Amino acid sequence: MTVMTTVGFGDIAPITAVGKIVTLVVAPAGLIAVFGLGLSVAEEHIGNLLVGERRRMEREIASMKDHYIVCGHGTLGALVVAELRRFKQKVVVIESDAGRVESLTVPHVVGNALEAAVLKRAGLERARAVLATFREDADNMYLILEVRGAAPGAEILTVASSREAARRMYLAGAKRVISPNLVGAELLAKSAVNPGVMQLVSDFTDQARVEQEITQVPVAEGSPLAGRRLRDLPALGLRVKVALIRSGERLEVAPAGDSLIPAGSVLVVAGNAADLAEAERLATPD
């Protein structure tokens, strides 16, 4: 017992039976008390660290605005967060499973995104948009309704499993609805039927992935861009790549330098953030 309790044999050892019994009780009790105190101190220290980290994250979320709230951090949600972070956007994740976000460095809230209080903790009133990435259409629908009730002006983007589900989500108030299954099927079919065009789109998006972003720029009446040719853009200080010009029913993919930019058309362009901001400024008349 003296070896197991680490008290050692020593020069003085109990001789009587009572002394041996006392030693047998006191030595393990002292060992348990010391280890128990150490565990208690360690637990309190770790608890303080966790509480401090949670409070730091709460303060960070409270100071954020124009951020994106991603509801659900499953397979799709994690990919969406990664893409938003790649575009250097501010993100807050809401996830009910604490295990999925315990090592996540992105600001997050553990809770049910279908509850108004949880959405409020994520800064719903100050957010740029809410992205619903749940697997079930019903969950995404309930989230749309909850956001509409808590923040009627909020922009909601979601996914749907079918066109009918997408139609209902639009009716419920979603700004944009994407069906990954339908989009994937359409791209796969078009790649088989017309691989040249799809390769062009793929090359364009691949080039824009590393340091550039893709956006659409509506060209208003009276804009300096209206009536210009694409080859005139560098003279205006624009260093963007135009992949598509949509004007009414006409769609021009990979336009050439002599392509005209009509007023009221929409340009799909790629470039860095500063160039895209300049394109949007020129597309709007003073």
Side-chain angles (χ1 to χ4, degrees):
M1 178 59 68
T2 56
V3 174
M4 293 177 63
T5 56
T6 71
V7 297
F9 289 100
D11 296 328
I12 301 175
I15 299 176
T16 65
V18 175
K20 292 179 179 180
I21 292 174
V22 170
T23 302
L24 188 65
V25 173
V26 172
L31 184 65
I32 292 172
V34 170
F35 274 96
L37 179 61
L39 289 175
S40 176
V41 172
E43 182 180 4
E44 182 179 359
H45 182 64
I46 293 174
N48 289 335
L49 290 177
L50 293 176
V51 170
E53 177 63 20
R54 186 167 62 250
R55 288 177 178 172
R56 183 198 65 77
M57 189 173 298
E58 289 175 352
R59 289 195 298 268
E60 181 179 358
I61 294 174
S63 65
M64 293 174 68
K65 62 179 182 178
D66 293 330
H67 57 285
Y68 294 91
I69 299 177
V70 178
C71 300
H73 199 258
T75 302
L76 179 60
L79 292 173
V80 170
V81 170
E83 286 297 296
L84 289 172
R85 296 274 289 176
R86 186 173 65 85
F87 289 131
K88 297 180 174 56
Q89 299 298 318
K90 294 175 289 186
V91 183
V92 174
V93 175
I94 300 179
E95 172 57 53
S96 58
D97 185 353
R100 288 182 174 178
V101 293
E102 60 183 359
S103 60
L104 188 64
T105 58
V106 175
H108 56 271
V109 174
V110 178
N112 188 353
L114 304 183
E115 297 178 1
V118 175
L119 290 168
K120 184 176 181 180
R121 286 167 54 197
L124 174 61
E125 299 86 352
R126 306 180 305 278
R128 175 176 295 183
V130 177
L131 287 73
T133 66
F134 297 126
R135 180 178 300 177
E136 300 296 330
D137 289 334
D139 291 336
N140 291 322
M141 179 67 77
Y142 290 143
L143 179 61
I144 294 171
L145 297 175
E146 190 63 50
V147 173
R148 275 287 161 264
E155 185 173 290
I156 308 170
L157 294 79
T158 185
V159 293
S161 62
S162 65
R163 286 189 174 88
E164 180 59 24
R167 184 186 68 82
R168 293 173 180 172
M169 290 177 185
Y170 277 121
L171 292 175
K175 176 73 172 182
R176 283 187 292 277
V177 182
I178 296 174
S179 176
N181 293 335
L182 294 177
V183 171
E186 182 179 354
L187 290 178
L188 188 61
K190 287 183 177 178
S191 297
V193 174
N194 198 342
V197 174
M198 294 309 299
Q199 185 61 49
L200 177 65
V201 174
S202 177
D203 292 342
F204 176 77
T205 54
D206 286 344
Q207 290 177 14
R209 284 183 63 85
V210 181
E211 297 177 351
Q212 298 183 326
E213 301 176 21
I214 302 174
T215 189
Q216 61 179 15
V217 178
V219 180
E221 189 73 38
S223 162
L225 300 180
R228 295 274 190 161
R229 305 283 179 178
L230 288 186
R231 61 171 173 264
D232 299 330
L233 296 185
L236 297 174
L238 282 184
R239 296 179 299 275
V240 296
K241 182 175 182 179
V242 180
L244 183 147
I245 300 176
R246 185 175 71 244
S247 179
E249 297 297 324
R250 186 177 67 86
L251 192 66
E252 188 176 357
V253 180
D258 60 349
S259 296
L260 185 67
I261 305 175
S265 62
V266 176
L267 309 180
V268 175
V269 299
N272 59 41
D275 291 335
L276 295 182
E278 179 64 12
E280 291 176 350
R281 186 188 68 81
L282 290 175
T284 304
D286 295 334

